[in-house]
Amino acid sequence: MSQKVLDKILESKIIAIVRGISSDKIISLVQAMLDGGICCVEVTFDQSSEEKAKDTLVSISKIKEHFGEKVMVGAGTVLTVEQVHKAVEAGAEYIISPNTDLEVIRETKKLDKVSIPGALTPSEAVAAYNAGADIIKLFPAGVFGASYIKAVKAPLKHIPITAVGGVSPDNIAEFIKAGAVGAGVGGNLVSAKLVDEGKFDEIAAIAKEYVDAIRGL
């Protein structure tokens, strides 16, 4: 199962990062992104309260139930082994973290799910990859730019890297051309303001901008 999900992530290149959106609006939001051509969605854990963390699991379950195999759903900001288990039980097919935690990576792989931990330095990237990570999330990519990814990839060609943080329709192609296998996009796409205002057509249009920006790459 994890290979099929990994192939889909690598093929589509874009993971939409859903942060701070309540589960009652999640279906409309994901449908908008699907309409724009994005089929991989990460729902992040809000670590600020148990209630919000539980709502993340509700959102993941709803997406899985409603869209089935049309959408590849994952959990983000996963910091503990316990959260790995809860996310997988809810239906998450991949586990994303902002950091390199070897236990989280190993547990994810033990459950046959795709592991995408965060790293910044070559040392972190190698440690994560050696622990079994499928893709390394280079975060925050926007602060360091595409040239940083190119520099890291030079000696680490064998490690798939995805760019996350500050990725826009204007710069996403630069990150891919620099050697990233894809990108995670959050606030520039999944705007809480647009969701609150019910402007899902605008979200679909932004999703399409991202997809069009990397078409053919």
Side-chain angles (χ1 to χ4, degrees), residues 19-191:
R19 187 180 288 109
I21 308 295
S22 63
S23 58
D24 60 334
K25 293 173 180 164
I26 200 72
I27 299 301
S28 300
L29 171 61
V30 174
Q31 184 60 58
M33 290 187 288
L34 204 52
D35 291 345
I38 294 175
C39 64
C40 296
V41 177
E42 162 199 348
V43 186
T44 66
F45 272 102
D46 187 329
Q47 308 285 349
S48 64
S49 79
E50 202 176 318
E51 192 184 326
K52 286 179 178 174
K54 279 180 183 169
D55 200 52
T56 294
L57 299 171
V58 173
S59 290
I60 290 169
S61 295
K62 280 188 170 185
I63 294 167
K64 185 76 180 155
E65 201 176 302
H66 186 86
F67 295 99
E69 291 197 356
K70 279 197 280 184
V71 172
M72 297 289 147
V73 63
T77 319
V78 178
L79 302 180
T80 66
V81 166
E82 186 190 3
Q83 286 174 346
V84 172
H85 280 273
K86 285 182 176 176
V88 169
E89 281 165 23
E93 292 157 315
Y94 47 97
I95 300 294
I96 302 182
S97 306
N99 61 322
T100 297
D101 185 309
L102 304 186
E103 283 186 33
V104 166
I105 295 166
R106 290 183 187 124
E107 199 63 27
T108 300
K109 295 314 296 174
K110 202 186 287 182
L111 297 172
D112 194 31
K113 300 300 172 187
V114 174
S115 170
I116 310 177
L120 182 59
T121 67
S123 294
E124 288 172 338
V126 171
Y129 190 69
N130 287 347
D134 296 289
I135 301 171
I136 305 303
K137 160 184 161 176
L138 195 127
F139 172 79
V143 175
F144 289 83
S147 58
Y148 183 72
I149 287 184
K150 191 174 182 182
V152 169
K153 282 289 289 185
L156 303 178
K157 289 182 177 63
H158 62 296
I159 299 182
I161 287 173
T162 188
V164 180
V167 179
S168 70
D170 295 330
N171 67 18
I172 187 169
E174 288 172 37
F175 287 111
I176 307 288
K177 286 173 184 169
V181 296
V185 293
N188 290 329
L189 167 63
V190 190
S191 158

